[in-house]
Amino acid sequence: MRVFLVSLLMVNAAGLLASQEIVDRIAARVENDIILLSDIRVLSRYQRFLDGKSETDAHILDRLIDQWMVRTEADVSRFPHPSDAEIDGALERLRKSFSSAEQYEVSRKQSGLSDSQVRGMLASQLYLSNYLDSRFRPAVQVDPPAIEDFYRNTFVPQAKAGGQEPPSLDAAHDLIQEALVQRGINEQSEKWLRESRTRLHIDILLEGGSK
């Protein structure tokens, strides 16, 4: 009887491993770490939850590799993780971005995400974005002509296109300045990520992924 049970467990384990290999497999190796197909699936569901659609697996994998680079550097520098209050605030803002609390729950359930997964994604987003902000914000300079140009050529046309009367330049100054700072942070982050990739050993195993 004992031999039969051991054999049964071995067969079941082999079956589980075989099915897991089909459902989940290594999508990429980055240095000594791995990114799994399940990681891509979770981010894909999160994108559908937010936007109603998701990127291709290859694009999502690129994002996960970028996240790995940022997270690794943040961890090495012992950058502080977001507090529960910060995560609560981000979750509240996310809920308010939906038409109602009911719509939020419907969309979340349709995407297949649990409450803890949504909270975990928000915590990760905050950690990575806070680190990039801390690293690159001091180097971003926004001068008055850039603010005036953005106001005249972007801010005002967008407001009018939405049927709104644009506020004065003085009233919109701080908002525009922060938008331009964020754009500068994004540009410097993208440049840093491109340069960092050239120094990493990355092995893409996902079919259709970029090498």
Side-chain angles (χ1 to χ4, degrees), residues 175-186:
L175 180 64
I176 293 173
Q177 183 177 43
E178 180 59 23
L180 293 176
V181 168
Q182 289 297 329
R183 185 168 69 182
I185 292 172
N186 290 340

Side-chain angles (χ1 to χ4, degrees), residues 6-76:
V6 171
S7 300
L8 181 63
L9 288 171
M10 290 177 65
V11 170
N12 285 346
L16 286 171
L17 289 173
S19 63
Q20 186 176 17
E21 187 175 355
I22 294 173
V23 174
D24 201 2
R25 61 179 183 272
I26 297 174
R29 289 189 175 91
V30 185
E31 295 294 326
N32 295 322
D33 282 341
I34 60 173
I35 296 174
L36 297 172
L37 183 61
S38 59
D39 298 325
I40 295 175
R41 294 289 177 261
V42 171
L43 184 51
S44 176
R45 291 198 294 270
Y46 187 67
Q47 288 182 344
R48 289 198 301 272
F49 171 49
L50 296 182
D51 304 321
K53 59 183 179 180
S54 64
E55 298 173 305
T56 65
D57 286 355
H59 280 103
I60 293 175
L61 179 57
D62 275 343
R63 289 189 182 276
L64 289 171
I65 293 172
D66 286 347
Q67 290 178 13
W68 182 93
M69 288 188 283
V70 179
R71 184 178 295 105
T72 298
E73 181 151 321
D75 289 346
V76 169

Side-chain angles (χ1 to χ4, degrees), residues 40-168:
I40 295 175
R41 294 289 177 261
V42 171
L43 184 51
S44 176
R45 291 198 294 270
Y46 187 67
Q47 288 182 344
R48 289 198 301 272
F49 171 49
L50 296 182
D51 304 321
K53 59 183 179 180
S54 64
E55 298 173 305
T56 65
D57 286 355
H59 280 103
I60 293 175
L61 179 57
D62 275 343
R63 289 189 182 276
L64 289 171
I65 293 172
D66 286 347
Q67 290 178 13
W68 182 93
M69 288 188 283
V70 179
R71 184 178 295 105
T72 298
E73 181 151 321
D75 289 346
V76 169
S77 66
R78 297 185 178 181
F79 191 74
H81 286 266
S83 65
D84 287 341
E86 286 182 277
I87 300 171
D88 289 341
L91 182 57
E92 182 63 21
R93 290 190 295 274
L94 176 59
R95 289 180 182 275
K96 288 182 177 179
S97 70
F98 287 81
S99 58
S100 66
E102 292 76 15
Q103 184 58 49
Y104 170 87
E105 287 299 329
V106 168
S107 298
R108 181 187 63 76
K109 291 176 181 178
Q110 286 178 343
S111 69
L113 292 171
S114 66
D115 286 325
S116 61
Q117 284 178 315
V118 172
R119 188 176 180 85
M121 294 296 285
L122 288 173
S124 178
Q125 283 182 328
L126 284 170
Y127 182 55
L128 302 182
S129 62
N130 287 349
Y131 175 75
L132 291 174
D133 187 280
S134 174
R135 173 171 178 149
F136 294 112
R137 179 179 287 270
V140 177
Q141 301 296 323
V142 178
D143 55 24
I147 295 175
E148 294 171 6
D149 180 74
F150 187 90
Y151 175 80
R152 182 174 58 255
N153 297 318
T154 302
F155 190 86
V156 171
Q158 286 182 352
K160 290 183 176 179
Q164 299 176 336
E165 183 64 26
S168 67

